[in-house]
Amino acid sequence: GQSHLMKKVVYGLLILLAVIHQDVWWWDNGELVFGFMPLGLFYHSLYSCMAAAVWAMAVKWAWPGDIEQWAESGDEAGGEQ
């Protein structure tokens, strides 16, 4: 269903974030954004916002439901000790 599709979208976005985090294309760029912020720092501020959005999507669509059920059941024998 849609939940399975959204899980795949979240996983794809996580892979994309891992790839674009390596911003080697702006290491030597001295351009300032808004007249004071280096372009690389601006990129990483946008990257951080994007990572937060993907994490919110992961919690909504890719978080394993059985963990929530276990936590709400009060069963203390869930998992290897």
Side-chain angles (χ1 to χ4, degrees):
Q2 183 182 5
S3 178
H4 186 67
L5 173 66
M6 290 309 295
K7 247 185 213 188
K8 287 184 176 185
V9 169
V10 168
Y11 293 146
L13 288 173
L14 287 171
I15 292 169
L16 176 67
L17 282 173
V19 171
I20 67 171
H21 185 258
Q22 312 306 320
D23 65 334
V24 296
W25 46 89
W26 282 322
W27 282 357
D28 296 327
N29 190 319
E31 183 179 339
L32 296 178
V33 178
F34 305 123
F36 69 92
M37 186 181 297
L39 185 59
L41 181 60
F42 179 72
Y43 173 80
H44 276 279
S45 65
L46 291 179
Y47 177 87
S48 295
C49 293
M50 195 167 59
V54 171
W55 182 248
M57 292 172 67
V59 168
K60 182 172 175 97
W61 289 302
W63 195 265
D66 55 342
I67 291 176
E68 298 294 327
Q69 292 169 358
W70 170 79
E72 291 173 357
S73 74
D75 180 16
E76 297 198 13
E80 298 181 38
Q81 302 291 325

